[in-house]
Amino acid sequence: MSQGCGCKNTDRYVSFEGIDCDGNARQIMACIDRHLAIPGRNNVFWDYFNKKRAGGSGPKPDDLFLIHSNINQVRELFETWEDQEAMALLVQLEEECC
């Protein structure tokens, strides 16, 4: 690529300044909790997830790490129940913080 092309290289990992990754992760966890409180939406995986979240199988992970580690399952939960608002939050969290 030519130095004079006028292209702008950006790197989202340069700074997380102004991004509330922890707060956004808490919002995602609230969405998960809301879904799992509805009868029929919980299963063995979500039991495991909640045990891990509480620190039941080792050190208690922070919300961002736990979501990042299980992002496909979280995405599937929101897609299955057509929760567009939660999905938008998840996409934002993934793009900005994961």
Side-chain angles (χ1 to χ4, degrees), residues 77-97:
L77 176 71
F78 296 157
E79 286 176 349
T80 298
W81 301 108
E82 299 178 359
D83 189 338
Q84 299 303 317
E85 183 179 331
M87 182 60 77
L89 288 170
L90 183 63
V91 168
Q92 178 184 350
L93 183 77
E94 184 177 21
E95 289 178 357
E96 292 179 348
C97 302

Side-chain angles (χ1 to χ4, degrees), residues 11-24 64 68 92-98:
D11 186 351
R12 67 183 173 164
Y13 298 108
V14 170
S15 171
F16 290 98
E17 187 176 329
I19 301 173
D20 185 9
C21 292
D22 292 333
N24 293 342
L64 181 60
H68 177 74
Q92 178 184 350
L93 183 77
E94 184 177 21
E95 289 178 357
E96 292 179 348
C97 302
C98 292

Side-chain angles (χ1 to χ4, degrees), residues 46-94:
W46 293 109
D47 290 340
Y48 162 80
F49 181 91
N50 282 322
K51 182 180 177 185
K52 185 120 179 130
R53 182 178 177 189
S57 59
K60 182 178 177 179
D62 64 53
D63 290 342
L64 181 60
F65 176 79
L66 193 57
I67 292 166
H68 177 74
S69 298
N70 298 280
I71 199 153
N72 291 325
Q73 291 85 353
V74 175
R75 181 178 289 112
E76 181 180 20
L77 176 71
F78 296 157
E79 286 176 349
T80 298
W81 301 108
E82 299 178 359
D83 189 338
Q84 299 303 317
E85 183 179 331
M87 182 60 77
L89 288 170
L90 183 63
V91 168
Q92 178 184 350
L93 183 77
E94 184 177 21

